[in-house]
Amino acid sequence: MICLGEGNPVLLITGDYIEKGTTSYILEETEVLKPYNFTWLDDIDFHKIDPANYQPNQVYKPALAETVWQSGRHNTLLQAIANDEMRAFFISIERTSMVAPYDGGMDFILKDIQTRDSYKLKYKAWLSKRQDGF
């Protein structure tokens, strides 16, 4: 993905919903993530934020890994995301951009309107033909 920059360092972000106090994570056993060295961050207690939609003791455990963007290097992970087997996204600090693939496409968050418009024009054939862009 050109907006991340070939050979540039990127952060790979993912996470898992777990029960509070859990010390082993399903994602650690996920084969597609084994090549990455994840750092697990502090739990986010969604029940405290939105008790109507989250159970007590249900938390989100975010994780990040530093890696390098290289064409083809992350294809197995991208295929798992496209198959809705997992969720993850990439952030390039250097390029001030984020790429969030999902099972129906990919969202790009770019540093400014000029960059967005440039990519929109360059990749016009790849964009949805629908009026709303979806």
Side-chain angles (χ1 to χ4, degrees):
M1 281 174 255
I2 195 157
C3 66
L4 295 174
E6 187 71 19
N8 281 344
V10 293
L11 295 174
L12 172 60
I13 314 293
T14 190
D16 203 1
Y17 288 97
I18 60 170
E19 187 171 321
K20 193 180 242 178
T22 300
T23 56
S24 64
Y25 313 110
I26 294 169
L27 290 177
E28 288 179 323
E29 303 304 318
T30 304
E31 197 64 35
V32 72
L33 293 179
K34 287 188 177 181
Y36 304 98
N37 184 23
F38 280 96
T39 299
W40 293 92
L41 305 176
D42 291 340
D43 296 349
I44 300 170
D45 190 341
F46 282 125
H47 179 71
K48 286 182 180 177
I49 298 167
D50 186 2
N53 291 306
Y54 294 93
Q55 301 297 316
N57 293 324
Q58 182 185 22
V59 298
Y60 186 75
K61 185 71 164 179
L64 66 86
E66 294 180 59
T67 187
V68 172
W69 181 260
Q70 291 176 324
S71 295
R73 181 177 185 176
H74 307 285
N75 285 356
T76 304
L77 173 60
L78 292 169
Q79 185 66 52
I81 294 168
N83 291 334
D84 201 23
E85 296 167 3
M86 65 171 318
R87 289 171 176 74
F89 59 92
F90 297 90
I91 295 175
S92 170
I93 306 279
E94 188 173 303
R95 291 284 187 98
T96 320
S97 61
M98 183 173 110
V99 176
Y102 54 91
D103 65 332
M106 201 171 290
D107 289 337
F108 295 88
I109 299 173
L110 303 169
K111 68 179 180 175
D112 55 37
I113 292 170
Q114 293 80 15
T115 304
R116 180 202 64 194
D117 290 348
S118 169
Y119 280 102
K120 223 174 166 178
L121 184 61
K122 185 174 183 175
Y123 298 104
K124 184 178 179 179
W126 294 8
L127 298 175
S128 170
K129 305 294 183 222
R130 289 176 41 151
Q131 183 75 13
D132 62 7
F134 290 111

